[in-house]
């Protein structure tokens, strides 16, 4: 995997190259050919607009694939209520302390494995992860006051809505990490929109992040 990140001024901001080997037991080799793998690379970048170019080469077959994509790195205000990107994931789980900050897909003390295609089987769980910055602190209670609304719609119609207060969330502070699991077993196949809306009850500021996903037709076991 070769990658290069270029700024709008044409200057190269980052270049990297990794060799990846997937070890598969012989008994599972046939099944593994139909499965996909995900790869992560952490790159420090200053706020701004970039282009990322990726080249993936299969050294066994010499087949090559390329990806060219716009990459916007936001500039977070130090005073206004802001939020990170909304990550839709197929797995969120705690990691051992020795893996914090080093293992793939680890954010803080959690492994957050993103769903790249955002396609889910009804038997799967959908997770989301988002961080909120610059919540105001109540000087008398020494804690923030915020309302978190999770809304899922399909064709503009409400499918599920969850409203929580910061008192119901663990680790509520000026910077807050939100994670939630959504059971898809009652969702019909189709396209959905997930919206996370955070209201700072002290300042009145609101920040919203959205992400779409697809619930696929349930898999039918072959006889």
């Amino acid at each position: 995997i070769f990658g290069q990140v270029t700024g709008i001024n044409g200057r190269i901001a980052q270049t990297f190259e990794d060799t990846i080997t997937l070890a598969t037991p012989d008994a599972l080799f046939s099944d593994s050919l139909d499965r996909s793998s995900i790869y992560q690379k952490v790159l420090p970048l200053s706020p701004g607009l970039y282009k990322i170019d990726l080249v993936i080469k299969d050294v066994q077959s010499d087949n090559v694939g390329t990806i060219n994509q716009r990459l916007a790195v936001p500039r977070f205000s130090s005073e206004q209520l802001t939020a990170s990107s909304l990550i839709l994931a197929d797995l969120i789980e705690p990691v051992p302390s020795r893996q914090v900050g080093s293992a793939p897909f680890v954010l803080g003390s959690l492994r957050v494995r993103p769903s790249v295609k955002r396609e889910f089987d009804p038997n799967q769980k959908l997770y989301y992860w988002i961080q909120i910055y610059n919540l105001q602190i109540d000087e008398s209670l020494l804690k923030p006051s915020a309302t978190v609304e999770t809304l899922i719609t399909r064709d503009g119609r409400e499918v599920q809505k969850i409203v929580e207060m910061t008192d119901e969330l663990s680790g509520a502070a000026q910077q807050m990490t939100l994670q939630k699991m959504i059971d898809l077993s009652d969702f019909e196949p189709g396209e959905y929109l997930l919206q996370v809306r955070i209201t700072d009850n002290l300042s009145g500021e609101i920040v919203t992040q959205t992400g779409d996903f697809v619930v696929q037709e349930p898999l039918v076991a072959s006889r």
Side-chain angles (χ1 to χ4, degrees):
I1 297 179
F2 173 80
Q4 183 170 282
V5 180
T6 308
I8 56 175
N9 56 6
R11 294 182 180 178
I12 297 175
Q14 290 282 354
T15 301
F16 62 92
E17 186 171 359
D18 284 341
T19 300
I20 298 174
T21 301
L22 298 177
T24 305
D26 292 343
L28 302 177
F29 181 75
S30 297
D31 292 338
S32 70
L33 296 178
D34 295 326
R35 296 178 182 174
S36 60
S37 300
I38 57 177
Y39 162 85
Q40 181 197 47
K41 184 72 174 181
V42 177
L43 301 173
L45 293 169
S46 300
L49 187 61
Y50 301 86
K51 180 184 74 167
I52 182 168
D53 299 296
L54 295 173
V55 180
I56 301 96
K57 179 179 181 181
D58 181 352
V59 297
Q60 304 293 346
S61 66
D62 285 336
N63 290 333
V64 175
T66 61
I67 298 173
N68 313 101
Q69 188 169 310
R70 177 182 180 271
L71 180 63
V73 179
R75 183 183 300 276
F76 292 111
S77 169
S78 59
E79 298 178 357
Q80 293 182 335
L81 184 69
T82 56
S84 71
S85 300
L86 177 67
I87 299 178
L88 300 187
D90 57 25
L91 175 70
I92 293 183
E93 62 181 6
V95 297
S97 57
R98 66 179 181 276
Q99 294 185 8
V100 172
S102 60
F105 307 107
V106 171
L107 296 171
S109 61
L110 297 173
R111 176 178 288 107
V112 181
R113 187 175 67 192
S115 174
V116 178
K117 292 185 177 181
R118 297 185 174 185
E119 296 176 351
F120 298 84
D121 185 90
N123 296 321
Q124 281 184 284
K125 308 295 185 186
L126 181 152
Y127 301 82
Y128 78 69
W129 183 99
I130 188 173
Q131 277 192 332
I132 313 303
Y133 312 110
N134 303 324
L135 286 165
Q136 285 199 11
I137 301 296
D138 188 310
E139 295 183 359
S140 60
L141 301 175
L142 299 180
K143 64 179 184 179
S145 175
T147 302
V148 180
E149 179 182 297
T150 302
L151 177 65
I152 299 177
T153 58
R154 183 184 182 193
D155 297 328
R157 297 180 179 179
E158 179 180 318
V159 176
Q160 186 178 103
K161 184 176 181 179
I162 304 169
V163 179
E164 298 171 289
M165 301 293 292
T166 47
D167 291 341
E168 304 166 4
L169 302 168
S170 60
Q174 191 172 17
Q175 175 177 314
M176 186 169 59
T177 300
L178 303 177
Q179 62 182 84
K180 182 165 289 295
M181 183 273 289
I182 297 171
D183 188 342
L184 298 176
S185 58
D186 293 332
F187 283 59
E188 296 181 355
E191 298 180 2
Y192 293 83
L193 179 69
L194 188 152
Q195 179 186 85
V196 181
R197 175 187 172 102
I198 300 94
T199 302
D200 188 329
N201 298 325
L202 298 177
S203 69
E205 292 181 293
I206 298 174
V207 64
T208 303
Q209 291 285 33
T210 61
D212 52 9
F213 65 94
V214 174
V215 176
Q216 300 174 312
E217 294 282 352
L219 298 176
V220 179
S222 58
R223 297 181 178 178

